[in-house]
Amino acid sequence: MAAAAGAWLRGCAKLRRHMAAHLAPWRISPCAFRSSKSELKPNVASDGLACAPLQTFTEEEAMLKDMVTKFAQERVAPFVQKMDENAKMEESIVQGLFEQGLMSIELGEEYGGTGASFFSIILAVEELAKVDPAVALVCELQNTLTNKLFTTYGTEEQKRTYLPRVSKDTLGSFCLSEAGSGSDAFSLKTRAEKKGDYYIINGSKMWISLAEDAGVFFVMANTDPSLGYRGITCFVVDRNTEGLQVGKKEDKLGIRACSTCPVTLDNVKVPESSILGQVGQGYKYAIGMLNTGRIGIAAQMLGLAQGCFDRTVPYTKERVQFGKSVFDFQGMQHQIAQVATQLEAARLLTYNAARLAEAGRPAIKEASMAKYFTAEVATLTTSKCIEWMGGVGFTKNFPIEKYYRDCKIGTIYEGTSNIQLSTIAKFLAQEY
């Protein structure tokens, strides 16, 4: 017995000698508990800042949230079913978004904007998405892509020319994806050839949101293919430019009221002054804008899921089976509680990413986490809501099936879920 025990102990000692340090039992590696690492909080006395719950809003943010909620209920809700059936955005809604300042939330007043916070954009998108995710997408893209591209990289002349327009009545459209470059976005084939003081652009774009009604396009084209993605440059192209043609819009599963079209550029001649930022920096601009845009899409998916949930739970309390409401069955209560918890977690991820971005702090990983998780939660929530509603949830008499269709794009556009996971993993590899 003693001999056997001694042999076992010697075996354990040998195993420990050959075991990698980070696998050794109870040994703390240098990077362990990184997720619990503390950061210094702002000094209240010197910075005038205080730590507050993520769902604490400024007075301005709270007022904007209430205003958007009212706008969505009164101006958007009556047209949702019609817009989905006809795959056409109601013009009065887009006009209303401009009139209410919801298309220029972060823009300065000198350009016709409201000068509000980035977080206000997230709140607006979330509230609109509770009623119609397609309308929310119009607001999201205008604020997080069109406006930010101009304010971040535009020349003073470009800002003076375009910002008053995009804050008043002009939609922008971001042209990056192509038939052969989806997730591999920087393998795009659209070419911009320099001819004196102007460029000739040739190529085709696909899956371009808002293209049907946009007045200005951000076209990503390669000025020097020999440099690979480092030749990609962003050009600002007006809709009426000769050679730019918007094709027939796609007949989509969801987000039907918001147009998605191919865009063809056939010998489109633009002046050198139409370059946004610097030659060869377009890939950086695309990455930067999409990182911010992903927080906006997270807000859209969050609002979508919450809107679907809010419409479904009251029904479960009204629907009576076996002598009591469906909600009163413990099995149903547990499912509803689980989804509610997922929604709260999704909201906190989204708000945290938004606050980080607003503060100018790195938020690439957090943005990817928010977009990935909210898309997953939206998929779960809408599917469960149909089940909880039963047969009526499967009909078009109720909006639940529309939320179900609308949410699927959340795992695809502005970076697929797998792309988000790869981004998150890349940062984790650096951290550990």
Side-chain angles (χ1 to χ4, degrees):
M1 184 75 174
W8 181 79
L9 289 172
R10 287 193 296 274
C12 288
K14 183 177 180 182
L15 178 63
R16 282 196 295 270
R17 285 197 299 273
H18 294 284
M19 186 181 291
H22 64 278
L23 294 178
W26 299 104
R27 180 177 296 177
I28 300 176
S29 70
C31 57
F33 307 125
R34 185 180 297 274
S35 61
S36 301
K37 183 178 179 181
S38 299
E39 290 188 22
L40 291 175
K41 301 300 182 183
N43 185 298
V44 177
S46 62
D47 298 339
L49 298 172
C51 298
L54 282 171
Q55 296 192 55
T56 301
F57 310 138
T58 65
E59 183 178 356
E60 180 184 65
E61 290 166 349
M63 289 176 61
L64 181 135
K65 183 176 184 291
D66 291 341
M67 181 269 284
V68 177
T69 300
K70 183 178 180 181
F71 176 86
Q73 292 293 339
E74 296 179 358
R75 301 279 295 272
V76 178
F79 296 100
V80 173
Q81 186 174 19
K82 174 187 172 184
M83 292 192 299
D84 181 64
E85 291 174 353
N86 298 337
K88 179 68 177 176
M89 184 68 64
E90 175 69 28
E91 290 184 8
S92 65
I93 291 178
V94 178
Q95 182 180 354
L97 290 173
F98 278 112
E99 290 173 351
Q100 296 295 322
L102 297 177
M103 301 294 265
S104 54
I105 295 174
E106 212 179 0
L107 282 185
E109 295 180 6
E110 67 271 25
Y111 298 117
T114 58
S117 64
F118 174 74
F119 193 78
S120 295
I121 297 173
I122 301 307
L123 291 176
V125 171
E126 180 186 356
E127 291 305 309
L128 289 171
K130 289 178 182 178
V131 175
D132 191 354
V135 174
L137 183 63
V138 176
C139 175
E140 191 277 330
L141 291 174
Q142 188 81 350
N143 281 284
T144 67
L145 284 178
T146 295
N147 297 348
K148 272 199 171 294
L149 278 167
F150 278 128
T151 56
T152 307
Y153 305 112
T155 63
E156 288 304 314
E157 181 182 354
Q158 289 170 335
K159 291 177 183 178
R160 287 194 301 270
T161 301
Y162 290 102
L163 287 179
R165 289 172 53 188
V166 298
S167 68
K168 182 181 179 181
D169 57 16
T170 302
L171 291 175
S173 188
F174 187 65
C175 303
L176 176 62
S177 297
E178 297 180 4
S181 58
S183 292
D184 184 15
F186 299 145
S187 64
L188 60 84
K189 302 299 181 185
T190 298
R191 175 78 190 276
E193 187 177 359
K194 196 173 190 316
K195 297 284 188 179
D197 59 353
Y198 59 87
Y199 284 83
I200 302 295
I201 306 176
N202 283 284
S204 298
K205 299 292 183 178
M206 288 190 70
W207 319 118
I208 306 306
S209 298
L210 306 184
E212 184 179 41
D213 301 305
V216 60
F217 296 81
F218 299 95
V219 178
M220 292 293 178
N222 203 316
T223 56
D224 188 351
S226 67
L227 297 176
Y229 68 88
R230 295 183 183 277
I232 296 175
T233 302
C234 184
F235 293 86
V236 180
V237 184
D238 283 307
R239 185 185 186 90
N240 59 6
T241 304
E242 186 177 356
L244 186 149
Q245 184 173 354
V246 177
K248 181 182 178 181
K249 65 183 176 184
E250 303 291 344
D251 187 8
K252 301 178 297 184
L253 172 72
I255 314 291
R256 291 173 54 78
C258 187
S259 68
T260 302
C261 312
V263 175
T264 303
L265 302 114
D266 184 14
N267 288 322
V268 171
K269 181 178 179 180
V270 293
E272 197 169 1
S273 60
S274 70
I275 292 175
L276 188 75
Q278 299 177 5
V279 174
Q281 298 295 300
Y283 74 97
K284 289 184 179 179
Y285 305 159
I287 291 173
M289 292 302 103
L290 290 176
N291 286 332
T292 305
R294 285 166 182 167
I295 306 174
I297 297 301
Q300 181 202 28
M301 290 295 111
L302 170 62
L304 182 160
Q306 188 68 62
C308 187
F309 188 81
D310 290 346
R311 287 174 177 269
T312 302
V313 174
Y315 178 86
T316 68
K317 300 185 75 174
E318 296 170 2
R319 173 71 168 165
V320 175
Q321 291 288 277
F322 303 103
K324 61 181 180 179
S325 72
V326 172
F327 182 89
D328 286 337
F329 288 92
Q330 189 181 62
M332 180 65 76
Q333 291 177 347
H334 287 182
Q335 291 182 52
I336 292 173
Q338 286 175 336
V339 170
T341 303
Q342 297 269 37
L343 283 168
E344 186 69 4
R347 179 169 290 105
L348 295 177
L349 273 173
T350 302
Y351 285 8
N352 180 59
R355 289 299 192 194
L356 286 173
E358 184 176 78
R361 294 175 58 184
I364 297 174
K365 180 183 73 175
E366 289 77 7
S368 288
M369 286 179 167
K371 181 184 181 295
Y372 164 74
F373 190 72
T374 53
E376 294 296 310
V377 170
T379 301
L380 169 68
T381 303
T382 55
S383 178
K384 283 295 183 183
C385 285
I386 289 178
E387 293 176 19
W388 300 340
M389 293 280 287
V392 296
F394 198 66
T395 70
K396 290 185 178 291
N397 294 326
F398 288 79
I400 309 305
E401 62 85 30
K402 179 182 179 296
Y403 286 114
Y404 182 74
R405 288 185 286 109
D406 285 348
C407 81
K408 192 58 203 173
I409 191 62
T411 65
I412 301 172
Y413 62 9
E414 296 212 24
T416 65
S417 288
N418 282 339
I419 290 294
Q420 305 312 316
L421 292 173
S422 293
T423 299
I424 295 165
K426 181 179 71 174
F427 278 87
L428 292 176
Q430 295 171 356
E431 292 173 7
Y432 288 88

